């Protein structure tokens, strides 16, 4: 069973490729009622249709006959009319895209199924266990669910007080995949929704008092880097400066002669 949120609050303008999985076929027809009078919607019809198509299969019925409608309804479609603009009304047959294979899972719909539904999908596709899934599918699943696995002999998997029992008591759904005399158990539990922290820009506390300004020492130079003039240091002049390096007294003519010999060689 798929999870739902407050569908009444959703309109075409607030529909996204994520929350569109929360609505059903009848909701789509309801959202189109009266939108032909909304200039903003009329200018973005293609975008809204693309969003709906990400979660629904849409067939435009060009033949308005009872036989054709009955054919689609027998396949699980809902048939109804939508008005794209004031002069155009079309008939749609729409059906929610089923999630039956692991390849049907996306980042947009993964949080709109239950752990039991996920186990059902995995069970339908499994053979080699969790490691048989591609990394991209694993990433999608783990973006919405806590996943853990264990592989044990059949007679030890359900040992009292073991991992299996503890996970089930903690609310995890489990899928058992037989591997000869061993069994791989895959545990799944939906991750809780987390709210992203917001940065605080105001400089006042909740009581209305101005907060203490925090000193920024990040760009402040270290004390060791600050050059302090020593009043006891004598000013360096031409007379009192001497170098500690012995530069020698090489003859420039001799150096030139040696260089010419090196070039000739």
């Amino acid at each position: 069973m798929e999870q739902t949120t407050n569908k009444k609050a959703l309109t075409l303008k607030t529909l996204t490729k994520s929350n569109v999985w929360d609505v059903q076929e009848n909701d789509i027809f309801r959202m189109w009622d009266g939108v032909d009078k909304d200039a903003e919607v009329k200018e973005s019809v293609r975008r809204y249709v693309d969003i709906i198509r990400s979660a629904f299969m849409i067939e435009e019925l060009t033949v308005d006959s009872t036989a054709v409608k009955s054919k689609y309804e027998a396949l699980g479609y809902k048939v109804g009319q939508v008005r794209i603009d004031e002069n155009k009304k079309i008939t749609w047959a729409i059906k929610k895209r089923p999630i039956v294979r692991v390849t049907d899972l996306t980042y947009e719909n993964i949080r709109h199924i239950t752990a039991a539904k996920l186990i059902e999908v995995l069970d339908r596709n499994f053979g080699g266990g969790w490691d048989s899934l591609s990394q991209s599918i694993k990433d999608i699943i783990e973006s919405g669910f806590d996943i853990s696995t264990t592989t044990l002999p059949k007679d030890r998997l359900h040992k009292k007080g073991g991992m299996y029992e503890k996970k089930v008591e903690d609310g995890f759904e489990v899928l058992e995949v037989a591997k000869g005399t061993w069994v791989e158990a895959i545990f799944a539990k939906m991750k809780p929704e987390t709210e992203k922290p917001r940065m605080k820009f105001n400089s006042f506390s909740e009581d209305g008092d101005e907060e203490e300004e925090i000193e920024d020492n990040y760009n402040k130079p270290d004390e060791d880097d600050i050059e302090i003039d020593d009043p006891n240091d004598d000013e360096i002049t031409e007379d009192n400066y001497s170098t500690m390096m012995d530069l020698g007294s090489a003859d420039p003519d001799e150096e030139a002669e040696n260089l010419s010999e090196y070039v000739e060689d």
Side-chain angles (χ1 to χ4, degrees), residues 12 30 48 54 60 104 127 130-131 186 226 234-235 243 246:
L12 280 180
R30 173 184 57 78
Y48 297 127
S54 69
E60 184 176 341
D104 294 327
W130 177 253
D131 288 337
I186 299 132
I226 301 175
D234 295 330
E235 184 180 359
T243 180
D246 184 7

Side-chain angles (χ1 to χ4, degrees), residues 1-5 7 10 14-25 27-28 31 50-57 95-100 103-113 117:
M1 181 178 179
E2 296 183 4
Q3 294 181 338
T4 58
T5 57
K7 297 183 291 185
L10 294 177
T14 59
L15 211 57
T16 68
K17 288 188 176 181
S18 177
N19 64 25
V20 70
W21 288 93
D22 286 328
V23 302
Q24 303 303 321
E25 292 84 354
D27 299 308
I28 298 299
M31 290 178 183
D50 286 343
I51 291 173
I52 296 171
R53 284 188 184 278
S54 69
F56 292 85
M57 295 178 286
K95 180 182 178 181
K96 193 76 164 286
R97 292 188 182 277
I99 302 175
V100 294
T103 51
D104 294 327
L105 298 172
T106 66
Y107 284 106
E108 288 76 23
N109 66 27
I110 191 62
R111 295 196 66 89
H112 297 276
I113 61 173
K117 175 65 175 179

Side-chain angles (χ1 to χ4, degrees), residues 141-155:
I141 294 173
E142 291 179 329
S143 70
F145 292 86
D146 284 322
I147 300 292
S148 57
T149 66
T150 185
T151 303
L152 293 169
K154 291 181 181 179
D155 57 348

Side-chain angles (χ1 to χ4, degrees), residues 10 30 82-83 88 105 109 120 128 134 143 196-197 207 260:
L10 294 177
R30 173 184 57 78
V82 295
R83 187 181 292 277
K88 188 177 182 181
L105 298 172
N109 66 27
E120 177 188 322
S134 67
S143 70
K196 296 180 180 179
D207 298 329
S260 63

Side-chain angles (χ1 to χ4, degrees), residues 212-265:
E212 181 182 355
E213 185 177 355
I214 301 175
E215 184 179 0
D216 179 14
N217 294 319
Y218 183 82
N219 294 314
K220 186 176 179 179
D222 295 334
E223 291 183 1
D224 293 340
D225 297 333
I226 301 175
E227 186 175 335
I228 303 176
D229 294 332
D230 188 346
N232 297 322
D233 286 346
D234 295 330
E235 184 180 359
I236 299 176
T237 64
E238 247 183 276
D239 296 330
N240 61 19
Y241 176 78
S242 62
T243 180
M244 299 297 295
M245 297 177 62
D246 184 7
L247 300 177
S249 56
D251 187 344
D253 293 334
E254 183 180 352
E255 288 183 357
E257 182 179 353
N258 292 337
L259 179 59
S260 63
E261 290 177 357
Y262 172 76
V263 173
E264 288 177 0
D265 291 342

